[in-house]
Amino acid sequence: MRRILFSTAILISGMFFSQQIKFEEYDLPNGLHVILHQDNTAPIVTTGVMYHVGAKDEIKGRSGFAHFFEHLLFEGTPNIKRGEWFKIVSSNGGKNNANTTKDRTYYFESFPSNNQELGLWMESERMRQAIINQIGVDTQREVVKEEKKLRIDNQPYGNLAISIYAHLFDKHPYSRNIIGSLNDLNSAKLEEFHTFYKKYYVPNNATLVVAGDIKPEQTKKWIEKYYSGIPKGPLITKNIPKDEPITREKEVTELDANIQLPAYVFAYRSASLKEKDTYALNMISSYLDGGNSSVMYKKFKDQEQKALDMGVNNDASEDAGVFTIHVIPMSNITKQTIQSDIDEEIKKLQTTLISQEDYQKIQNQYENQIVNQNSSINGIAEFLATNHVLTGKTNLINEEIDIYRSITRKDIQNAAKKYLNPNQRVIINYMPGKK
C-alpha cells in the first residue's frame, strides 16, 4: 500500500500565509485510488468520487453518455430506492451534486462529520451496483432534454462554446459537446448503458477523496469495509486520435436565432493542463481581460467603448487547451476593427515584455485565486481528485502557486509567440439568424 504525505506553506504578497494542504494517498488492491485530507476546523466531511471518463471517451454515434450518467446514477441501487437519493442526503443534513467535463465525471456528498460513513456507503453503492433500467433511462432522457433546451437551445449564445470546439478539433473527440446529441441518446439500447457502466464505473478507473473533519484511521476502516470488495474492472485503454496542428487561418459563420447582436470569436488551440505553457497562457488571459484595468477591458469597454461584451479565456483540458477571445461589438463597430485591435494587442505581447507592474498584478491575482480555491473543503476535495486523475500529480494543489511564480515575463512572451498566431486560429462569426 503506497502512502505519501505532503504539506506546504505559501508566501503571499510578502506576507507569510500558512495554508497547509496535507493529504495522504494510497491504492486499494482493486485499483481504487484513495486521497484523505484531514481538516478538523469545521464539522463537515466531503466524500467525492471522480471517474476518469468524460465526453471524449464516448464512441461515435453515442455522444452524451458521460453527462447522461451524471443524471442516471442518482436513480438508485438495490439498497437506495428510486427517488430516495436526494431525500437521504437532505434528511441527514447534507448536500450533493455531480458534474461532467470532457475528461472526467465527479460525484460528491457533504455531510456533518457524524454522518461521514453515510457518504462513503452511498458512493460505494453507486460504484458497486447502480440500477440501470429502462424507466430510469427514459426518465433521465427527459431531464437531459429539458436541460439542453434551457442551457443551450433557448439560451442566447448557447451554442457558441460548442461551435468553438467543433471547429478547432476534427479528429479529436473534444470536437463533441458534453451534453451530446438527443438522437444518440434516444437510439441507444439499454444494454449499451450497461456496457458503459461496467467499463468505466470500476474502482481502477476511480479516485475516492475524503476531506474534512475525519479521523483517518476510522475512515480507512470504512473505506476497506465498503470498497475493498468491489471487483476490479478490465484494463481501460484509450486510443484518442490527434489532430494535426492548425497552420492556416480558418473563418466560419454560425447562426443563432436567439441573438440580436453578432459575436466574433478568435479561437486558438493551446496547451494541455499538463504543460507548463498553460500557466503562461492563463496569465496572458488575465493580462488581456483580468478586471477593469486589464488591456482589452480598457480598450473595448472603458476608454474606447467599442464592445458591449468581451472576454478572454484559456480553457485547458487533459489533452489540449482552447484559448479564446470573444467580442460583441457596439453596432457602429465593424468586425475588421475588432480583429485589427486584437491582432495589435497580441503582436505587442509577442514583441514586447509586459511591464513589471502588470506582471506583479497578475501574480497577485493568481495567488489570491489559489488561496480562495483552497478555502473550502469542497474545493480542496475536487482539486485533489482532479489533479490526480488528469495529471497524475495530486500534490499540484501545493505546487501550483510556485509554478505561477516561476513563469517569467519572457515565458509569457514565448507562449504568445507559440500559440497565438493568425495562421493558428479559427475565426467564428456568430450571427443572428436561423440555421
Side-chain angles (χ1 to χ4, degrees), residues 266-422:
F266 302 81
Y268 308 78
R269 207 184 294 158
S270 62
S272 81
L273 53 77
K274 298 177 183 179
E275 299 173 79
K276 191 175 180 179
D277 281 348
T278 287
Y279 296 89
L281 289 161
N282 289 344
M283 294 175 78
I284 289 174
S285 72
S286 293
Y287 171 75
L288 294 174
D289 178 37
N292 294 352
S293 63
S294 62
V295 170
M296 286 196 175
Y297 184 93
K298 288 191 292 186
K299 190 177 193 72
F300 285 111
K301 296 193 72 175
D302 186 9
Q303 297 169 352
E304 301 180 30
Q305 297 184 352
K306 293 180 178 179
L308 288 169
D309 185 59
M310 59 81 55
V312 183
N313 184 54
N314 185 54
D315 183 20
S317 298
E318 185 176 18
D319 295 343
V322 170
F323 189 98
T324 56
I325 303 170
H326 81 268
V327 179
I328 300 175
M330 293 288 193
S331 58
N332 62 326
I333 303 298
T334 66
K335 180 236 177 175
Q336 287 71 28
T337 298
I338 296 296
Q339 183 170 337
S340 176
D341 285 346
I342 288 172
D343 287 344
E344 179 185 353
E345 293 304 329
I346 291 177
K347 194 67 177 176
K348 288 179 185 176
L349 278 168
Q350 293 173 332
T351 57
T352 308
L353 296 179
I354 67 172
S355 71
Q356 184 64 40
E357 181 183 357
D358 284 332
Y359 173 75
Q360 190 58 55
K361 182 180 73 173
I362 298 167
Q363 287 281 1
N364 293 341
Q365 287 177 347
Y366 279 98
E367 289 178 355
N368 290 331
Q369 178 180 306
I370 290 169
V371 171
N372 291 333
Q373 176 181 268
N374 296 338
S375 64
S376 74
I377 292 298
N378 279 344
I380 290 171
E382 187 166 355
F383 197 19
L384 286 167
T386 299
N387 289 342
H388 173 73
V389 171
L390 300 187
T391 73
K393 298 178 180 179
T394 314
N395 197 43
L396 195 59
I397 196 168
N398 292 324
E399 296 171 349
E400 194 171 57
I401 199 164
D402 290 323
I403 295 174
Y404 275 114
R405 287 195 186 118
S406 73
I407 301 296
T408 65
R409 293 187 294 160
K410 187 67 174 177
D411 292 331
I412 291 171
Q413 183 184 50
N414 289 339
K417 289 179 180 179
K418 183 176 179 180
Y419 296 98
L420 304 183
N421 297 300

Side-chain angles (χ1 to χ4, degrees), residues 2-47:
R2 181 167 54 91
R3 302 180 188 275
I4 309 171
L5 219 59
F6 291 102
S7 66
T8 192
I10 297 178
L11 183 68
I12 296 181
S13 301
M15 298 178 62
F16 189 80
F17 183 94
S18 178
Q19 185 185 20
Q20 294 186 334
I21 308 299
K22 298 179 180 179
F23 64 90
E24 178 182 356
E25 58 182 337
Y26 62 94
D27 294 315
L28 293 182
N30 61 8
L32 179 67
H33 191 74
V34 179
I35 305 171
L36 304 180
H37 165 65
Q38 183 179 7
D39 181 346
N40 304 116
T41 56
I44 300 293
V45 175
T46 292
T47 298

Side-chain angles (χ1 to χ4, degrees), residues 252-267:
V252 297
T253 297
E254 294 279 1
L255 301 179
D256 187 337
N258 295 317
I259 65 173
Q260 296 180 332
L261 299 170
Y264 302 105
V265 182
F266 302 81

